[in-house]
Amino acid sequence: MKKSPDVTSILFGEDEIRERVAEIGSQITERYKGENILLIGILKGACIFMSDLARQIDGNVEFDFMAVSSYGIEAKSSGVVRIIKDIDRDIQGMNVIIVEDVIDSGFTMKFLKKYLKARGPKSIGIAVLLRKNVEQQIPVKPDYVGFECGDEFLVGYGLDYAGRYRNLPYIGILDPKVYA
Ligand code: IMP
Ligand code: MG
């Protein structure tokens, strides 16, 4: 697909993403051999990553979803995370993997891990497409990281700006003039 004019450069292209997602899928297949897995996707950003990742896992995989929003006075994550949609089921005794698009400040992931852990899963893993290298990130230790990146604002492959660009098949840097 042609680069969107609102994207200054493509950081991770379709082929690179496909290869990386396949690698993570193989790692998960190995790690959970013969055990059931419940992927919990964090809407909406993780939706494309999760659909591709799930198809690269050879095993018994079930899906659930949560939607959260972090808000505050600043545009950045405030550390206050609100649940918009909770999981539908009991996760006691399940091998849960949280599937998220981005770890930025780490507040969202810290909240999700604590929240889900309290519901008694057998194990809890974290698969994140992108981890931003930002100072003062809460140490959350994801088990699977697609790509490390800087702190530019990225869109595509599920990531949005104001609800748009999620459908771009690559991950690109959003032109700052779009949000200026
Ligand atoms: P955190 O709580 O600061 O780690 O924020 C993580 C959330 O911020 C992710 O779930 C994303 O929805 C959003 N986010 C952070 N950086 C970006 C970005 O570059 N593009 C799109 N969404 C982002
Ligand atoms: Mg998100």
Side-chain angles (χ1 to χ4, degrees):
M1 190 190 271
K2 250 183 73 194
K3 185 176 78 61
S4 159
D6 293 346
V7 162
T8 54
S9 65
I10 294 177
L11 264 193
F12 307 107
E14 291 187 63
D15 294 346
E16 197 178 357
I17 296 173
R18 194 181 313 108
E19 278 170 32
R20 187 69 193 111
V21 170
E23 282 169 11
I24 295 174
S26 305
Q27 286 171 14
I28 292 175
T29 301
E30 275 300 300
R31 157 73 179 78
Y32 294 89
K33 240 183 246 155
E35 299 205 50
N36 296 337
I37 298 169
L38 176 66
L39 298 179
I40 299 183
I42 310 307
L43 298 170
K44 310 179 178 80
C47 131
I48 292 180
F49 174 44
M50 178 150 142
S51 341
D52 284 348
L53 179 62
R55 286 176 287 181
Q56 298 297 330
I57 299 171
D58 185 3
N60 293 326
V61 173
E62 294 177 47
F63 283 17
D64 209 333
F65 296 96
M66 283 183 78
V68 294
S69 89
S70 42
Y71 61 97
I73 341 149
E74 292 177 57
K76 278 259 169 186
S77 208
S78 62
V80 184
V81 179
R82 188 163 56 108
I83 296 174
I84 311 285
K85 185 226 168 291
D86 205 341
I87 45 174
D88 298 334
R89 54 175 301 161
D90 183 7
I91 59 169
Q92 266 199 37
M94 303 281 306
N95 293 298
V96 164
I97 303 178
I98 304 171
V99 184
E100 170 66 312
D101 56 355
V102 184
I103 292 179
D104 185 6
S105 69
F107 276 124
T108 306
M109 190 52 81
K110 185 192 169 196
F111 169 85
L112 287 169
K113 191 172 180 189
K114 191 174 168 204
Y115 179 78
L116 291 171
K117 211 172 174 178
R119 300 175 84 162
K122 181 175 176 189
S123 68
I124 188 155
I126 296 173
V128 67
L129 177 63
L130 296 160
R131 178 167 57 184
K132 291 195 172 178
N133 291 309
V134 292
E135 275 176 54
Q136 295 178 334
Q137 186 177 73
I138 296 173
V140 275
K141 286 213 187 119
D143 303 272
Y144 311 95
V145 177
F147 304 101
E148 305 275 348
C149 59
D151 68 355
E152 297 97 344
F153 197 85
L154 307 177
V155 292
Y157 199 71
L159 280 67
D160 75 307
Y161 171 69
R164 292 178 57 198
Y165 309 106
R166 294 192 198 276
N167 60 315
L168 301 178
Y170 51 81
I171 298 165
I173 299 176
L174 185 66
D175 191 331
K177 75 169 189 282
V178 175
Y179 50 85

